[in-house]
Amino acid sequence: MKRILVTGGAGFIGSAFVRYQLETYPDVHVVNFDKLTYAGNLDNVKGVDDKRHTFIKGDIADAGAITEAMKGCDAVVNFAAETHVDRSILGAAEFINTDITGVYNIVEAAKTLGTKRVLLVSTDEVYGSILDGSFKESDPVGPRNPYSASKAGGELIGLSYFHTFGLPVVITRGSNTYGPFQYPEKVLPLFVTNAIDDIPVPLYGDGKNVRDWLYVDDHCSGIDTALRKGEPGQIYNVAGGNERENIVLTHRILELAGKTAALIKPVADRPGHDRRYSIDASKLHALGWQPKMDWDAGMALTVKWYRDNEWWWRKIKTGEYLEYYKRQYGGQ
Ligand code: NAD
Ligand code: DAU
């Protein structure tokens, strides 16, 4: 693989994947195709090797633009998506447009061009909630919010292109990812940046919902393993192995930010809030992948990164962000 098209490479995980490819494989050239929505940010790829990184501003829902960008690429890895559950509850149209139609355009372009590998980055949320045990790839999907339903839709379109046309599609389902450069609507960067400014952190419901935390570079190495060693038509879970209740996560964030629990503000629960996510990643482990980051160390370095990089998030927490914040949390 010499030329890889990364869609959504200006977002949180996509930008880390761009850096991962350029740092790990000296002969790889990355074409980064991103619409630069509210969540896309060229600051996320500041300083990457320009000679091996080409940025194209474009929309995966635009069939002509994505086909043009894919020409000459050996593989495409799709990160481009609308990704925030709360926004999908406020309005789902963009989720359907990008996460379903956009994925259709990607597989259709890959089929036309004969692209050798198509990796669709998906999420553990497609399984829905599980109170005991962990989901395996062979379990049926049961998404319960508009975001996860649209991600499941995109997956199914992708898999149909494997079964019907033999397109070499591989899917990864990652768990809750954390690290530097995450847009501060997601719980971890939202709580850290609020805490730095002594703004209350809005904890949904009883705070006992469980998420499995995966450090961003481990998520990237998991996707890379599936890309290079995975079998076409297969799905691979990428789990962090760090299940925590939100209240535990919140206390740790506040402690690392040097604040007290007085900042915790219990607010109304998210509608349809999935209680627990848990996935079994033994299928990816069998390909040689293991997450490297310890949760305590990852949390410490992540909170420190937001404390040290106000230049990155302060300019995001203005304009559209403040309007969204008011819409989402205003009445509470
Ligand atoms: P993000 O919201 O930080 O970034 C998404 C990126 O996609 C942005 O750069 C945005 O500009 C771009 N984009 C959105 N719509 C586009 C379009 N129509 N055309 C081109 N670009 C578009 O997201 P993230 O957290 O980095 O997630 C990346 C992928 O990983 C998504 O597919 C998401 O479903 C999946 N995922 C995320 C997590 C997580 O915890 N963050 C976990 C598992 C899977
Ligand atoms: O599981 C993978 C998924 O993880 C990804 O597919 C999604 O793109 C990503 O956004 C994430 O989804 P979650 O809904 O789990 O993440 P979020 O950060 O929004 O919420 C994490 C938990 O924290 C969840 O139980 C809801 C809770 N929460 C969240 C916010 C934003 C709060 O209590 N208060 C908040 O303000």
Side-chain angles (χ1 to χ4, degrees):
M1 268 177 226
K2 292 271 190 270
R3 193 174 175 88
I4 301 179
L5 175 63
V6 175
T7 47
F12 164 48
I13 310 172
S15 63
F17 188 79
V18 169
R19 288 191 294 277
Y20 183 91
Q21 288 302 311
L22 295 176
E23 284 161 18
T24 313
Y25 303 104
D27 53 350
V28 158
H29 188 105
V30 172
V31 179
N32 184 348
F33 180 95
D34 196 297
K35 186 179 174 183
L36 298 182
T37 66
Y38 77 91
N41 185 351
L42 287 175
D43 281 347
N44 297 357
V45 285
K46 219 175 184 171
V48 303
D49 181 353
D50 277 346
K51 292 186 292 300
R52 294 193 294 127
H53 177 243
T54 306
F55 180 77
I56 299 170
K57 185 173 186 304
D59 186 344
I60 61 168
D62 176 343
I66 189 64
T67 308
E68 200 50 40
M70 208 181 292
K71 281 182 184 162
C73 291
D74 306 303
V76 53
V77 184
N78 180 49
F79 293 88
E82 288 295 331
T83 60
H84 193 40
V85 173
D86 292 324
R87 288 189 193 247
S88 80
I89 294 167
L90 293 172
E94 271 312 303
F95 289 75
I96 289 157
N97 192 37
T98 293
D99 301 7
I100 302 178
T101 306
V103 172
Y104 160 69
N105 286 335
I106 287 173
V107 293
E108 186 58 24
K111 173 174 156 273
T112 306
L113 297 170
T115 307
K116 291 199 285 284
R117 199 70 146 175
V118 180
L119 192 135
L120 302 177
V121 176
S122 189
T123 167
D124 63 358
E125 287 202 21
V126 298
Y127 293 111
S129 190
I130 185 167
L131 293 184
D132 298 302
S134 304
F135 286 117
K136 281 182 173 296
E137 293 83 348
S138 50
D139 287 320
V141 293
R144 291 166 18 100
N145 62 62
Y147 160 68
S148 52
S150 65
K151 289 296 291 185
E155 280 194 13
L156 293 175
I157 296 284
L159 284 175
S160 79
Y161 270 60
F162 167 74
H163 293 297
T164 310
F165 305 112
L167 190 72
V169 173
V170 176
I171 289 171
T172 56
R173 291 178 178 157
S175 65
N176 278 66
T177 305
Y178 72 104
F181 298 107
Q182 186 171 29
Y183 192 85
E185 65 191 350
K186 307 287 164 47
V187 72
L188 197 152
L190 171 66
F191 283 15
V192 180
T193 56
N194 274 16
I196 290 169
D197 283 344
D198 290 309
I199 297 168
V201 299
L203 186 64
Y204 295 159
D206 65 2
K208 291 191 173 170
N209 297 65
V210 172
R211 297 293 183 267
D212 172 17
W213 293 96
L214 170 65
Y215 189 66
V216 64
D217 292 348
D218 286 328
H219 196 164
C220 291
S221 66
I223 292 166
D224 187 58
T225 303
L227 174 70
R228 288 162 193 276
K229 297 185 184 165
E231 225 181 278
Q234 293 296 309
I235 297 166
Y236 297 90
N237 289 341
V238 192
N242 299 297
E243 290 186 28
R244 299 287 186 280
E245 287 183 347
N246 290 337
I247 184 72
V248 172
L249 175 84
T250 304
H251 280 295
R252 181 57 59 86
I253 292 170
L254 292 173
E255 188 189 328
L256 289 165
K259 306 289 172 165
T260 71
L263 278 182
I264 299 176
K265 183 181 182 190
V267 297
D269 209 352
R270 172 185 280 175
H273 195 176
D274 286 333
R275 192 64 171 168
R276 173 174 175 259
Y277 295 140
S278 183
I279 49 174
D280 176 335
S282 43
K283 190 168 165 185
L284 193 60
H285 293 161
L287 296 185
W289 175 80
Q290 285 292 340
K292 288 190 185 140
M293 184 62 81
D294 161 78
W295 192 70
D296 286 316
M299 285 295 294
L301 81 79
T302 299
V303 173
K304 183 174 181 333
W305 189 87
Y306 289 97
R307 293 180 80 168
D308 292 348
N309 288 281
E310 295 192 10
W311 71 272
W312 182 82
W313 59 265
R314 282 218 183 271
K315 59 186 168 189
I316 293 174
K317 287 186 116 177
T318 56
E320 192 277 343
Y321 179 89
L322 293 180
E323 278 166 36
Y324 161 75
Y325 198 88
K326 205 167 154 204
R327 232 165 33 117
Q328 178 63 19
Y329 302 101
Q332 313 215 38

